[in-house]
Amino acid sequence: MAKLRVHNFSMSLDGYVAGPDQSLEHPLGVGGQRLHEWIFRTRTGRHTILGTEGGETGIDDDFVARGLEGFGAEIMGRNMFGPVRGPWTDDSWTGWWGDEPPFHYPVFVLTHHPRPSIEMEGGTVFHFVTDRIEVARERALDAAAGADVRVGGGGATIREFLRAGLLDELHLAVVPTLLGRGERLFDGTDVAAQGYECVELVASASVAHVRLARTNER
Amino acid sequence: MAKLRVHNFSMSLDGYVAGPDQSLEHPLGVGGQRLHEWIFRTRTGRHTILGTEGGETGIDDDFVARGLEGFGAEIMGRNMFGPVRGPWTDDSWTGWWGDEPPFHYPVFVLTHHPRPSIEMEGGTVFHFVTDRIEVARERALDAAAGADVRVGGGGATIREFLRAGLLDELHLAVVPTLLGRGERLFDGTDVAAQGYECVELVASASVAHVRLARTNER
C-alpha cells in the first residue's frame, strides 16, 4: 500500500527544525541553513539541487538518494511554498524553485488561501488545498496512483501529520549543531502515544540518521 | 585546568532525559529506564553498576569507560540522590546505592534541606549544599584537588549548569527511542547562546554519542 513518507528532514541536537525569526531573507530562520549543509555536501544533493557535479558518496548520500525514490506526489505546508510574511497571496508567487521545479509530479500546498492550480515546466503542478490534511492526503494518494506521497515539510506540517497519525515513515537527520531557539518538531507532539518507534539508526561523521515508523496500527 | 563534565547522559530522540511522573517507583519517570538500557549492555556498565561479567565492547563501552575516568568529585541534584516525593527529608535516606556507593570520592548534593555530611564505605562522602551552584562548583573543584568534577544529573541540575555556562563538557547519548512526555534537557535553555558547540558525533547501532563543549570562553 502506498505510504506517506518524510525524508531528509534535518533537526538540530537541541530539537529545532528551523531557526528563529523566519522571513523572506531567512526562510529557514536565522541559522537554519546550517541544518541542511550536509545535503549540499552529498553527490546526490549537489546534482539534484544545485545541478553541479562532485560531492561525497556514502551514508549521507545514500539517504538523500533514498529520499527521492518512489514518490508520485508531494504535500507541503504553506511556509515551504512561500515566505511566511511574503508576497504570495497576490497569486504571482509560484514557489522558490523557478520555472521548472525539481518535483516533476503534483504538489499539494496546504493553505487557507484558495487559488487556481499552477502548471509548471517539467511536470510539476501546484494544487492549493484549503481542506483538512485528511483530504490533502486522499488527493495526493490519488494523484500518486500507487506510488508513495512525500510530505515535504515544514515542521508545522509534519507535526500536524504526526499528531493525526497519518505519516507512515519519518527519516530524521539529526545534525550535531545547536540552534538554541526556533521551531521544534516534537513540541506538543507525543509521537510515542501515536505508535511511532525508531526502527533504524545509522550515522556518518556529520549526521545521525534515524527512521521512525508506525509499528502498531491504530 | 580541572573541568566540570557530564558523561553518558541519555536523551531520547524527542529530547527527553526522564519520563513523566517521576516517583519512588519510577525514579527515572515512566519509561525512563529505556534511556539507560544501552549502558547495561556494555561490559563496563555491567561490571561497574551490576558487578557482573560479560557485556559488549566497542563504541558504547568506550564512552561508558571514558565517563568514569579522571574524576575527583561529583555534583548531583537532589532528585538524583533521593526520590522526588520520598522519605529522605528525615535524614535516614543515604542514597540509592547501598552502604558502599560506586563513587569513591566526595559527592556534593544540591538541596534546600541542610543536613550533616554522611561518610559511606569505600571513600564516598555525601555533602549537602544549600548554596548556589557556583559555590557547589568551588567546593567540588577544591575537593577534587586537580582532577575533574563530574556533574551527575539529573536534567534540572545539568540545565542549571548549562544556563550558567559552568559546564565545560557534556556527553549526550541520543537513544533512538521516543518517550513522548517527560523532562527535557534543552527546554528553556539556549545552549548556543552560551557558546556550546557539538565537537564530536559517533554512533553505534544503538546510540548516537554527541559531545558538547564550550568553544568560545565568555
Side-chain angles (χ1 to χ4, degrees):
Chain A
M1 221 181 96
K3 289 181 170 178
L4 264 69
R5 296 189 274 138
V6 173
H7 279 265
N8 300 310
F9 201 69
S10 299
M11 180 174 85
S12 71
L13 184 70
D14 48 352
Y16 296 98
V17 294
D21 308 323
Q22 294 178 46
S23 65
L24 187 55
E25 292 85 336
H26 297 287
L28 308 169
V30 174
Q33 77 287 348
R34 274 194 282 140
L35 297 178
H36 306 279
E37 283 166 0
W38 70 274
I39 295 177
F40 295 97
R41 285 196 299 268
T42 65
R43 183 167 169 165
T44 306
R46 290 177 67 92
H47 181 75
T48 315
I49 305 172
L50 304 176
T52 57
E53 298 303 307
E56 298 165 8
T57 56
I59 291 170
D60 295 344
D61 189 58
D62 290 347
F63 271 95
V64 173
R66 223 201 274 182
L68 298 170
E69 285 162 11
F71 293 108
E74 176 147 345
I75 298 171
M76 66 172 63
R78 179 241 176 282
N79 296 348
M80 195 168 152
F81 180 72
V84 178
R85 280 172 292 281
W88 77 275
T89 45
D90 70 359
D91 279 9
S92 69
W93 179 266
T94 58
W96 303 100
W97 304 275
D99 293 334
E100 189 178 342
F103 305 104
H104 313 296
Y105 49 46
V107 175
F108 296 84
V109 180
L110 304 169
T111 172
H112 295 294
H113 175 67
R115 189 176 160 179
S117 300
I118 317 172
E119 199 165 331
M120 308 295 290
E121 288 169 31
T124 300
V125 183
F126 291 117
H127 300 288
F128 300 89
V129 183
T130 54
D131 277 309
R132 295 181 308 134
I133 57 171
E134 286 80 0
V135 176
R137 175 178 174 273
E138 288 304 322
R139 287 188 60 187
L141 282 169
D142 279 354
D148 286 353
V149 171
R150 186 183 162 112
V151 179
T157 298
I158 295 177
R159 263 199 308 280
E160 214 179 330
F161 275 91
L162 280 172
R163 270 184 212 146
L166 291 177
L167 210 59
D168 296 293
E169 204 178 306
L170 169 58
H171 161 221
L172 272 183
V174 182
V175 179
T177 191
L178 300 163
L179 287 186
R181 295 187 302 137
E183 180 188 0
R184 281 173 140 182
L185 182 61
F186 291 117
D187 270 4
T189 312
D190 184 341
V191 281
Q194 277 294 352
Y196 291 97
E197 284 184 22
C198 299
V199 295
E200 187 179 5
L201 166 67
V202 184
S204 70
S206 318
V207 180
H209 301 274
V210 185
R211 271 197 318 123
L212 308 189
R214 295 192 60 215
T215 49
N216 52 337
E217 292 300 317
R218 288 178 308 171
Chain B
M1 219 181 100
K3 290 181 170 175
L4 263 68
R5 295 190 274 139
V6 173
H7 279 264
N8 300 312
F9 201 68
S10 300
M11 181 173 85
S12 71
L13 184 71
D14 48 350
Y16 296 97
V17 294
D21 308 322
Q22 293 178 47
S23 65
L24 186 56
E25 292 84 339
H26 297 286
L28 308 169
V30 175
Q33 77 288 348
R34 275 194 281 140
L35 298 176
H36 305 279
E37 284 166 1
W38 70 274
I39 296 177
F40 295 97
R41 285 196 299 268
T42 65
R43 183 167 167 165
T44 305
R46 290 177 67 93
H47 181 74
T48 314
I49 305 171
L50 304 178
T52 56
E53 298 304 307
E56 298 166 9
T57 56
I59 291 171
D60 294 344
D61 189 58
D62 290 348
F63 271 95
V64 174
R66 222 202 273 182
L68 298 170
E69 285 162 12
F71 294 108
E74 177 147 346
I75 298 171
M76 67 172 63
R78 178 239 176 280
N79 296 347
M80 195 169 152
F81 180 72
V84 178
R85 279 173 292 281
W88 78 272
T89 46
D90 70 359
D91 280 11
S92 68
W93 180 266
T94 58
W96 302 100
W97 303 275
D99 294 334
E100 189 177 343
F103 305 103
H104 311 296
Y105 50 45
V107 176
F108 296 84
V109 180
L110 304 168
T111 173
H112 295 295
H113 174 68
R115 188 172 160 180
S117 299
I118 318 172
E119 200 166 331
M120 308 293 290
E121 288 170 32
T124 300
V125 183
F126 291 116
H127 300 287
F128 300 89
V129 183
T130 55
D131 277 308
R132 297 180 308 133
I133 57 171
E134 287 81 0
V135 176
R137 175 178 173 274
E138 287 304 321
R139 287 187 61 187
L141 283 169
D142 279 353
D148 287 353
V149 171
R150 184 181 164 114
V151 179
T157 298
I158 295 176
R159 264 198 307 281
E160 213 178 332
F161 276 91
L162 280 172
R163 271 185 210 145
L166 292 177
L167 209 59
D168 297 291
E169 203 179 308
L170 168 59
H171 161 222
L172 272 183
V174 182
V175 179
T177 191
L178 300 161
L179 286 186
R181 296 187 302 136
E183 181 187 0
R184 281 172 138 184
L185 183 61
F186 291 117
D187 271 4
T189 311
D190 185 342
V191 280
Q194 277 293 353
Y196 290 97
E197 283 182 23
C198 299
V199 294
E200 186 179 5
L201 166 66
V202 185
S204 70
S206 319
V207 181
H209 300 273
V210 186
R211 269 196 319 123
L212 309 188
R214 295 192 61 214
T215 50
N216 53 337
E217 291 301 316
R218 289 179 308 172

